[in-house]
Amino acid sequence: MKLKEIAHSRTGDKGDMVNISVIAFDEKDYPIIQKKVTAEKVKLFLGETIQGEIIRYEVATLGAINFVMHKALRGGVTRSLRLDKHGKTLSSILLEMPINTND
């Protein structure tokens, strides 16, 4: 399954960092997200898009995980030549991440 089947996402930016929250549609799916959507797996999935560290924060009371991604916007809104200077599409890309629920 893909992450988008059990979660939605919100994105924000500040400078050269992007913040992506992954929020379970249903609280019963939060443990799956908690176990399967690690900072390491997110970094691997997004590849060279994220040049710096990814820090993961769990917000269990909301059924959400927040990722702070450093060096993600090639300098930020005022300096980047990227089409998506705010990193808004990164949340949609992340929701395409496959989740293996068989293990």
Side-chain angles (χ1 to χ4, degrees):
M1 95 169 69
K2 291 190 176 185
L3 183 56
K4 68 182 177 183
E5 296 176 46
I6 60 172
H8 62 101
S9 184
R10 299 282 301 180
T11 307
D13 69 283
K14 184 61 85 177
D16 198 16
M17 293 186 298
V18 70
N19 170 30
I20 300 178
S21 296
V22 176
I23 307 127
F25 289 128
D26 189 317
E27 63 185 36
K28 72 174 177 49
D29 292 323
Y30 179 68
I32 296 170
I33 296 167
Q34 192 177 31
K35 181 179 178 185
K36 300 291 185 174
V37 187
T38 65
E40 295 79 17
K41 289 180 182 176
V42 169
K43 177 99 170 163
L44 185 64
F45 183 73
L46 293 176
E48 294 181 12
T49 303
I50 310 302
Q51 305 264 310
E53 179 183 20
I54 297 177
I55 303 169
R56 179 180 120 148
Y57 298 95
E58 295 183 16
V59 190
T61 54
L62 298 177
I65 295 177
N66 188 49
F67 295 94
V68 177
M69 304 175 183
H70 296 264
K71 297 183 181 175
L73 299 174
R74 304 297 187 270
V77 175
T78 59
R79 296 175 53 194
S80 179
L81 297 176
R82 294 174 54 149
L83 291 175
D84 179 20
K85 296 177 184 183
H86 295 277
K88 299 296 184 187
T89 59
L90 290 174
S91 63
S92 296
I93 293 168
L94 182 57
L95 290 175
E96 293 294 326
M97 187 170 123
I99 303 296
N100 183 357
T101 58
N102 294 327
D103 56 354

